[in-house]
């Protein structure tokens, strides 16, 4: 949910910002939740930061990187489209929580767009999941964490000035003394061990292995152990207690974040047995629906340790021990006493891929936009999803065959611009070629039918033709959302004897849609005993062989190709990833380019450019790498330069940082030596 909020502000100059300054400023309880810093570089507004956004930094280079690069587009001006502009920024950067409405600044306050949790939606999702699983005989329990105000005054602790025990900024040097002072309230680990554990640990997802029954712990941070050292999370402690008691259950964490990007129905992705237990634990819960309220547990705790860091759901090791004990006594023990130990744990729910809240919203908007109200609900409705790169007589044959067997046929044209022909060209050729059918509706496929989001392998088939594909998400979305809402009962596909990727996809469609949508596979159209294919047309275009093209495309396609011949002769290789497209746009917009950081990432990037750019365009690149320059090395026949030469000769050039491992170090080296952030692109970074 995105809403407009008024917040206190403090204007700060970039030159005085440091990790120590941030720590001292936000340690003040009056600033931690309520104040956002507006960062200026002289008279120029740079960005804004809240504690929630900046707490991921633990050293100066990270702070510089986020302020000067990641957070550089965190404001919008008042206009009719300002909400959409803010939404795009949130969509493109998961680190951002607040976006400044720039012309709202007034003395010590301003308005901000804030990306926050839709509590009502979260609760509805919980109830939906419970209803689905209950019908199948699965036992799901709602466990409620209290809010701060519900905990008795004497049971609260106010010494801790920061939230997020595991936030990297809490382990920065300016916070070391305070962290050591209060560490014993969170864990029994030493400072050095806890710091190493928190900053570098890899989270486990399942505790136990041989057991065939499972307890699923579902929820946000408390389920994922995000506020704990390794081995001190609720799932891990619960498993230890159960093992000691001889209870043979493994414990699996299922993280359902309280954010718009969360999969609220994530629990439905897992296979669940009749004797499994699902426990959903969160502070976003109405008392009326909870099965076990932990408020009394918090208020009756008599130990000398802290149960949580800043808010009750950010539990410590000791809080997790208390909760695990409560779960065993009130939920798990009564449940397993009713279970036959020798019975088989029959799977009653088979997991399927789910969408995030944002994806659901986007999908519903797409369906609402394309749905035709005039279609009779009694009609037999079919669909086919086509690329048409370009539209051939083979495509025409498929659509003609399908249109005769249904009352209405949706023809979805793959919308990704990752082919030799643009989406605009492809859908126009399909519309012209099918205009003779009065029951055919040609539509863009959106982001949920054969797209990079749902079926990435489809766009890699020229590079990885023998790969085993993963199109489960694509099939599941069609089955659970698109087909039922649009009333589609038949899906038509062309037989595929040559393309391994498409052949696998057809098999997955038949398996995944079985019993819901009939998948009808049609033999491919042939000409002179050869299958008609769009790839043959592309080959004929490259050779200028119009006689062969005429044999396998409709007149409408032929006319379109000839009309657009000059543009088509300049077509480039297909399957260009979006990050490569953005990179090429950056390079072509700026003549003077320095490639920074030579390594495997640079090699992969250059391979992509080799496929999609002219040699002359690449010959103008300058290559920079500090370590290789010391070794007097060359890259692609060009001498690699060092930092001193870069600053002396190429300071006004535009920089492309390729290394994922060293991107922050390189970025800081460049900006500290006077290269403006607007001249820098980090390849692969979503900004």
């Amino acid at each position: 949910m995105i809403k407009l909020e008024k917040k206190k502000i403090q204007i700060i100059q970039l030159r005085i910002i440091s990790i120590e300054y941030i720590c001292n400023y936000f340690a003040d309880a009056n600033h931690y939740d309520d104040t956002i810093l507006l960062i200026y570089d002289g008279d120029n507004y740079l960005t804004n930061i809240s504690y929630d956004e900046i707490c991921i930094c633990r050293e100066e280079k990270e702070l510089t990187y986020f302020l000067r690069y990641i957070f550089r587009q965190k404001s919008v001006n008042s206009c009719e489209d300002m909400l959409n502009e803010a939404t795009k920024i949130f969509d493109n950067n998961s680190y951002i929580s607040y976006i400044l409405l720039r012309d709202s600044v007034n003395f010590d306050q301003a308005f901000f767009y804030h990306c926050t949790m839709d509590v009502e939606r979260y609760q509805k999702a919980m109830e939906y999941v419970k209803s689905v699983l209950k019908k199948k005989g699965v036992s799901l329990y709602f466990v409620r964490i209290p809010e701060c105000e519900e905990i008795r005054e004497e049971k609260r602790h106010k010494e801790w000035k920061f939230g997020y025990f595991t936030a990297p900024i809490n382990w920065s040097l300016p916070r070391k003394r305070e962290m050591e002072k209060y560490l014993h309230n969170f864990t029994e680990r030493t400072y050095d061990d806890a710091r190493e554990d928190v900053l570098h640990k890899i989270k486990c997802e399942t505790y136990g292995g041989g057991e065939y029954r499972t307890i699923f712990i579902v929820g946000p941070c408390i389920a994922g152990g995000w506020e704990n050292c390794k081995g001190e999370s609720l799932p891990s402690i619960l498993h230890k207690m159960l093992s000691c008691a001889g209870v043979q259950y493994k414990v699996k964490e299922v993280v359902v974040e309280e954010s718009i990007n969360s999969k609220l129905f994530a629990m439905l992705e897992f296979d669940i047995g009749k004797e499994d237990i699902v426990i959903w634990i969160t502070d976003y819960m109405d008392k009326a629906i909870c099965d076990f309220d932990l408020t009394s547990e918090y208020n009756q705790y008599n130990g000398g340790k802290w149960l949580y860091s800043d808010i009750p759901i950010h539990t410590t090791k000791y809080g997790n021990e208390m909760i695990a004990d409560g779960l065993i006594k009130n939920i798990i023990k009564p449940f397993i006493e009713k279970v036959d130990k020798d019975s088989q744990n029959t799977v009653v729910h088979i997991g399927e891929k789910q969408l995030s809240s944002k994806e659901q919203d986007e999908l519903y908007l797409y369906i609402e936009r394309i749905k035709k109200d005039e279609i009779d609900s009694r009609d037999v409705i079919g669909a086919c999803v086509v690329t048409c790169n370009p539209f051939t007589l083979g495509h025409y044959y498929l659509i003609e065959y399908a249109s005769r067997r249904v009352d209405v046929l949706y023809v979805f044209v793959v919308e990704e611009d990752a082919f030799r022909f643009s989406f605009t060209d492809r859908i126009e050729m399909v519309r012209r070629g099918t205009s003779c059918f009065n029951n055919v509706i040609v539509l863009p496929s959106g982001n949920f039918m054969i797209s990079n989001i749902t079926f990435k392998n489809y766009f890699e088939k020229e590079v990885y033709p023998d790969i085993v594909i993963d199109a489960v998400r694509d099939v599941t979305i069609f089955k659970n959302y698109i087909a039922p809402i649009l009333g589609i009962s038949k899906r038509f596909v062309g037989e595929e004897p040559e393309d391994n990727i498409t052949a696998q996809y057809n098999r997955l469609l038949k398996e995944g849609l079985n019993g819901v949508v009939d998948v009808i596979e049609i033999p491919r159209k042939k000409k002179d005993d050869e299958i008609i294919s769009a790839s043959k047309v592309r080959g004929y275009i490259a050779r200028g062989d119009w006689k062969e093209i005429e044999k396998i495309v409709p007149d409408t396609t032929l006319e379109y190709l000839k009309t657009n011949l000059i543009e088509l002769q300049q077509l480039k290789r297909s399957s260009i990833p979006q990050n490569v497209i953005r990179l090429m746009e950056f390079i072509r917009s700026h003549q003077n380019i320095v490639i920074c950081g030579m390594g495997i990432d640079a090699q992969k990037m250059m391979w992509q450019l080799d496929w999609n750019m002219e040699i002359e365009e690449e010959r103008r690149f300058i290559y920079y790498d500090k370590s290789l320059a010391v070794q007097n090395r060359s890259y692609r026949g060009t001498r690699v330069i060092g930092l001193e030469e870069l600053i002396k000769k190429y300071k006004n050039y535009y920089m492309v940082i390729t290394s994922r491992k060293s991107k922050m170090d390189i970025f800081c080296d460049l900006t500290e030596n006077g290269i403006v952030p607007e001249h820098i692109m980090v390849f692969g970074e979503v900004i």
Side-chain angles (χ1 to χ4, degrees):
M1 175 186 289
I2 298 174
K3 60 181 181 180
L4 205 57
E5 293 183 357
K6 184 185 289 186
K7 303 286 284 187
K8 294 177 183 177
I9 60 171
Q10 180 69 47
I11 295 176
I12 303 293
Q13 284 293 326
L14 178 65
R15 57 184 168 76
I16 69 170
I17 288 287
S18 66
I19 290 290
E20 184 171 10
Y21 181 93
I22 294 292
C23 288
N24 291 336
Y25 186 86
F26 282 114
D28 185 330
N30 294 322
H31 296 155
Y32 167 53
D33 284 327
D34 298 333
T35 306
I36 294 179
L37 298 180
L38 267 57
I39 315 299
Y40 277 74
D41 190 2
D43 294 331
N44 299 318
Y45 167 77
L46 184 64
T47 188
N48 61 85
I49 54 169
S50 65
Y51 170 76
D52 283 350
E53 294 168 324
I54 211 65
C55 68
I56 56 178
C57 299
R58 67 178 181 273
E59 59 183 40
E60 300 302 330
K61 283 194 174 183
E62 290 176 321
L63 181 61
T64 299
Y65 183 67
F66 272 84
L67 289 179
R68 301 298 296 269
Y69 193 73
I70 299 295
F71 289 163
R72 67 182 180 185
Q73 297 176 2
K74 283 190 64 196
S75 66
V76 294
N77 287 318
S78 295
C79 63
E80 290 184 3
D81 205 35
M82 59 188 181
L83 178 57
N84 288 334
E85 291 299 315
T87 302
K88 289 177 184 177
I89 297 174
F90 282 129
D91 288 346
N92 289 332
N93 195 327
S94 60
Y95 293 111
I96 290 177
S97 298
Y98 290 93
I99 295 173
L100 173 67
L101 191 59
R102 290 193 63 169
D103 44 11
S104 73
V105 176
N106 184 16
F107 299 107
D108 63 346
Q109 61 185 25
F111 280 98
F112 293 82
Y113 279 112
H114 179 38
C115 191
T116 186
M117 180 62 197
D118 186 337
V119 178
E120 184 178 353
R121 182 173 190 166
Y122 193 89
Q123 292 179 346
K124 285 182 178 178
M126 293 174 63
E127 293 176 350
Y128 172 77
V129 171
K130 187 169 187 175
S131 68
V132 169
L133 297 183
K134 186 177 180 180
K135 290 176 183 176
K136 299 179 179 181
V138 176
S139 297
L140 188 154
Y141 301 89
F142 288 154
V143 176
R144 182 178 178 274
I145 297 284
E147 298 179 9
C148 288
E149 296 75 17
E150 297 176 276
I151 297 177
R152 296 208 310 263
E153 186 74 23
E154 64 271 19
K155 295 295 182 181
R156 302 181 200 175
H157 55 78
K158 300 179 180 178
E159 303 95 324
W160 184 248
K161 299 293 180 62
F162 267 15
Y164 307 135
F165 166 67
T166 53
I169 199 169
N170 272 321
W171 298 93
S172 62
L173 288 178
R175 292 278 290 172
K176 181 177 180 180
R177 182 173 296 180
E178 185 176 9
M179 182 61 80
E180 289 179 322
K181 180 180 178 181
Y182 294 113
L183 187 64
H184 68 281
N185 293 302
F186 295 99
T187 179
E188 294 174 2
R189 281 176 165 77
T190 65
Y191 174 84
D192 290 336
D193 287 345
R195 185 178 191 275
E196 179 70 19
D197 208 19
V198 167
L199 296 180
H200 300 103
K201 69 178 177 179
I202 299 175
K203 297 284 185 181
C204 297
E205 292 187 350
T206 305
Y207 302 88
E211 303 88 346
Y212 65 93
R213 295 187 180 102
T214 304
I215 296 172
F216 295 90
I217 299 295
V218 189
C221 43
I222 192 170
W226 294 343
E227 288 301 306
N228 307 117
C229 293
K230 186 177 180 181
E232 298 181 354
S233 67
L234 175 60
S236 62
I237 287 174
L238 179 61
H239 183 260
K240 289 175 189 174
M241 288 185 173
L242 292 173
S243 297
C244 290
V247 178
Q248 299 299 306
Y249 269 80
K250 60 186 173 184
V251 179
K252 185 172 185 61
E253 62 183 47
V254 180
V255 177
V256 180
E257 299 177 69
E258 299 164 344
S259 74
I260 62 170
N261 293 314
S262 177
K263 290 183 179 181
L264 296 183
F265 304 140
M267 188 60 233
L268 299 179
E269 293 192 339
F270 300 93
D271 290 352
I272 309 171
K274 190 174 182 61
E275 295 171 4
D276 291 339
I277 307 171
V278 180
I279 299 174
W280 197 320
I281 181 168
T282 180
D283 52 353
Y284 279 125
M285 189 182 298
D286 192 313
K287 290 183 179 181
I289 68 170
C290 76
D291 300 292
F292 180 33
D293 192 330
L294 286 164
T295 304
S296 61
E297 306 288 321
Y298 276 76
N299 283 328
Q300 292 171 13
Y301 175 70
N302 292 318
K305 300 295 185 179
W306 291 354
L307 299 178
Y308 60 93
S309 56
D310 59 329
I311 56 176
I313 199 168
H314 290 164
T315 44
T316 65
K317 169 182 182 286
Y318 311 106
N320 288 327
E321 289 174 343
M322 177 199 72
I323 293 172
D325 184 62
L327 295 180
I328 292 172
K329 290 178 181 177
N330 292 276
I331 295 175
I332 299 170
K333 186 178 178 181
F335 178 87
I336 61 177
E337 286 176 349
K338 301 175 184 177
V339 173
D340 182 354
K341 294 181 180 180
D342 298 323
S343 65
Q344 293 296 316
N345 187 25
T346 308
V347 173
V348 292
H349 172 80
I350 297 176
E352 290 186 330
K353 295 288 186 181
Q354 302 296 315
L355 299 178
S356 70
S357 300
K358 184 172 68 176
E359 289 170 334
Q360 280 187 333
D361 291 342
E362 184 181 346
L363 178 56
Y364 286 133
L365 283 173
Y366 163 75
I367 294 175
E368 188 64 31
R369 190 169 64 246
I370 66 170
K371 191 175 182 181
K372 305 298 179 182
D373 295 331
E374 64 271 16
I375 294 177
D376 193 314
S377 59
R378 294 168 295 181
D379 286 344
V380 177
I381 302 173
C384 54
V385 184
V386 294
T387 302
C388 297
N389 185 37
F391 184 70
T392 68
L393 287 172
H395 297 117
Y396 181 90
Y397 173 74
L398 169 67
I399 294 169
E400 180 185 38
Y401 180 98
S403 68
R404 290 177 178 175
R405 285 155 179 82
V406 293
D407 298 310
V408 178
L409 179 69
Y410 285 111
V411 176
F412 297 102
V413 181
V414 175
E415 198 166 347
E416 294 278 3
D417 259 329
F419 306 96
R420 293 201 176 193
F421 291 88
S422 70
F423 168 69
T424 303
D425 286 331
R426 289 184 289 109
I427 197 168
E428 180 60 26
M429 283 186 274
V430 177
R431 282 173 174 156
R432 293 185 185 189
T434 60
S435 60
C436 55
F437 304 115
N438 59 15
N439 67 334
V440 170
I441 301 171
V442 180
L443 297 166
S445 68
N447 288 329
F448 298 98
M449 283 181 278
I450 307 186
S451 70
N452 266 309
I453 294 175
T454 64
F455 185 11
K456 186 177 180 181
N457 303 131
Y458 186 81
F459 305 92
E460 301 172 333
K461 58 185 179 180
E462 290 193 16
V463 182
Y464 308 111
D466 299 321
I467 197 171
V468 177
I469 69 169
D470 178 11
V472 173
R473 202 159 186 246
D474 189 278
V475 177
T476 302
I477 291 171
F478 189 84
K479 179 180 74 173
N480 292 341
Y481 295 91
I482 295 170
I485 295 176
L486 296 180
I488 297 169
S489 60
K490 298 180 185 296
R491 175 136 175 201
F492 298 88
V493 298
E495 187 180 67
E496 189 47 75
E498 297 176 347
D499 182 346
N500 172 53
I501 301 294
T502 305
Q504 289 183 69
Y505 182 59
N506 287 352
R507 288 196 295 271
L508 284 176
L509 284 174
K510 291 176 182 177
E511 295 168 5
L513 300 181
N514 184 36
V516 180
V517 176
D518 293 332
V519 178
I520 302 164
E521 193 168 22
I522 302 169
R524 294 282 294 275
K525 178 76 172 175
K526 292 184 178 181
K527 180 71 174 179
D528 299 332
D529 291 330
E530 287 191 4
I531 290 174
I532 296 174
S533 71
S535 61
K536 286 187 173 68
V537 178
R538 298 194 297 271
Y540 295 145
I541 290 173
R543 298 199 301 267
D545 193 341
W546 290 98
K547 287 186 178 179
E548 292 300 322
I549 295 173
E550 289 176 10
K551 296 178 182 178
I552 57 175
V553 301
D555 292 340
T556 53
T557 298
L558 184 66
E559 180 184 355
Y560 192 89
L561 293 176
K562 287 185 175 180
T563 303
N564 297 277
L565 177 61
I566 296 176
E567 181 181 348
L568 296 175
Q569 287 175 329
Q570 298 173 350
L571 291 174
K572 299 297 179 184
R573 194 174 180 84
S574 63
S575 302
I576 308 176
Q578 286 299 312
N579 60 346
V580 177
I581 292 173
R582 287 194 295 269
L583 173 63
M584 293 193 303
E585 289 173 351
F586 182 84
I587 290 173
R588 286 167 175 162
S589 299
H590 310 106
Q591 289 299 308
N592 301 318
I593 297 292
V594 179
I595 307 295
C596 305
M598 303 297 105
I600 187 63
D601 292 325
Q603 186 62 61
K604 290 178 180 178
M605 184 194 79
M606 293 304 296
W607 284 339
Q608 292 280 5
L609 294 184
D610 288 344
W611 286 120
N612 299 294
M613 295 186 72
E614 302 293 342
I615 295 176
E616 289 73 18
E617 292 181 282
E618 295 184 19
R619 282 177 178 165
R620 57 190 171 86
F621 294 166
I622 304 296
Y623 299 103
Y624 158 69
D625 187 290
K626 285 197 297 188
S627 60
L628 293 186
V630 172
Q631 302 171 38
N632 200 26
R633 296 274 295 278
S634 296
Y635 184 80
R636 295 193 164 209
T638 301
R639 182 175 60 85
V640 177
I641 66 172
L643 184 60
E644 184 178 349
E645 185 176 353
L646 175 71
I647 301 305
K648 185 177 180 180
K649 295 183 179 180
Y650 307 105
K651 192 172 182 176
N652 293 323
Y653 277 43
Y654 287 80
M655 312 289 160
V656 176
I657 300 175
T658 64
S659 173
R660 285 177 293 180
K661 182 178 179 180
S662 304
K663 63 183 179 182
M664 194 179 304
D665 292 333
I666 296 173
F667 179 86
C668 291
D669 282 343
L670 298 178
T671 55
E672 287 168 5
N673 283 279
I675 296 174
V676 296
E678 290 72 23
H679 281 206
I680 304 172
M681 177 184 187
V682 182
F683 178 61
E685 192 80 78
V686 177
I687 300 297

